[in-house]
Amino acid sequence: MPGKTLKFEDGAVQFRQRLVVSLLSHRPVLMRNIRADDLEAPGLAPHEATFLRLLDRMTNGSQIEINATGTQLRFKPGMLVGGRISHECPTNRNVGWYLEGILPLAPFGKEALELELTGVVTDGLTHLDPSPNSLISSVVPHLFDKFGITDDDDQAAGPPSLQ
């Protein structure tokens, strides 16, 4: 039985983190006023909509409802299944933006997550988002260590490779 809905009236603030908490706590989330004051481009940004599609592919049973203007999102989390997923990221955000949101979920899937992201890795966006290399060298080893993730030889797993 799902818990009480997490409700936020301040738009897309902490967008990825709120979705991660929703998935890990199995609580639905409702976000309102997503860029409601932006007359030129109200609602979800392309990278946020793509992140939702990625979460939908990583889960089974998630329900995503977006109103006609894109200014309200209701997300009902499903089960994290993991598996092999290829995902194309739009060019307005660095691939690191997606990795930051996905890394906290990676250890909790039913299957091991094999994620292939294609998109911008540098190109001047690193002032907005961390590079995939910096995440892999700084965050991933600590995350693997904290959750006891090892390779097949019971040795500490090395960082994943970037292609």
Side-chain angles (χ1 to χ4, degrees):
M1 175 158 174
K4 186 176 178 185
T5 299
L6 303 167
K7 295 179 183 177
F8 300 98
E9 300 289 333
D10 56 353
V13 175
Q14 302 296 320
F15 180 79
R16 295 167 298 165
Q17 292 81 353
R18 290 174 176 175
L19 292 169
V20 167
V21 167
S22 172
L23 278 161
L24 294 178
S25 67
H26 301 287
R27 291 177 67 184
V29 66
L30 174 64
M31 293 184 220
R32 292 188 176 129
N33 301 317
I34 301 171
R35 292 183 195 82
D37 296 333
D38 189 339
L39 299 178
E40 292 183 25
L44 290 172
H47 58 280
E48 293 163 341
T50 303
F51 186 75
L52 283 169
R53 284 192 291 274
L54 176 57
L55 289 181
D56 190 44
R57 295 178 69 200
M58 291 177 56
T59 61
N60 185 13
S62 289
Q63 296 176 9
I64 301 168
E65 300 171 16
I66 303 168
N67 71 351
T69 59
T71 58
Q72 181 173 303
L73 165 69
R74 181 179 303 274
F75 179 78
K76 295 179 183 175
M79 176 188 285
L80 281 167
V81 291
R84 177 171 281 183
I85 299 170
S86 294
H87 186 73
E88 188 169 334
C89 305
T91 58
N92 64 330
R93 291 309 284 256
N94 190 314
V95 168
W97 186 86
Y98 295 87
L99 283 174
E100 260 187 329
I102 297 305
L103 282 174
L105 300 172
F108 298 103
K110 186 176 180 181
E111 299 176 30
L113 177 63
E114 295 180 43
L115 181 61
E116 178 185 340
L117 297 174
T118 56
V120 176
V121 177
T122 56
D123 197 26
L125 293 175
T126 53
H127 70 282
L128 294 173
D129 309 310
S131 74
N133 286 333
S134 67
L135 286 171
I136 285 174
S137 63
S138 62
V139 176
V140 172
H142 299 293
L143 183 69
F144 281 16
D145 184 49
K146 292 288 183 201
F147 288 99
I149 300 172
T150 60
D151 63 14
D152 293 335
D153 299 329
D154 284 333
Q155 299 292 325
S161 63
L162 275 179
Q163 298 178 347

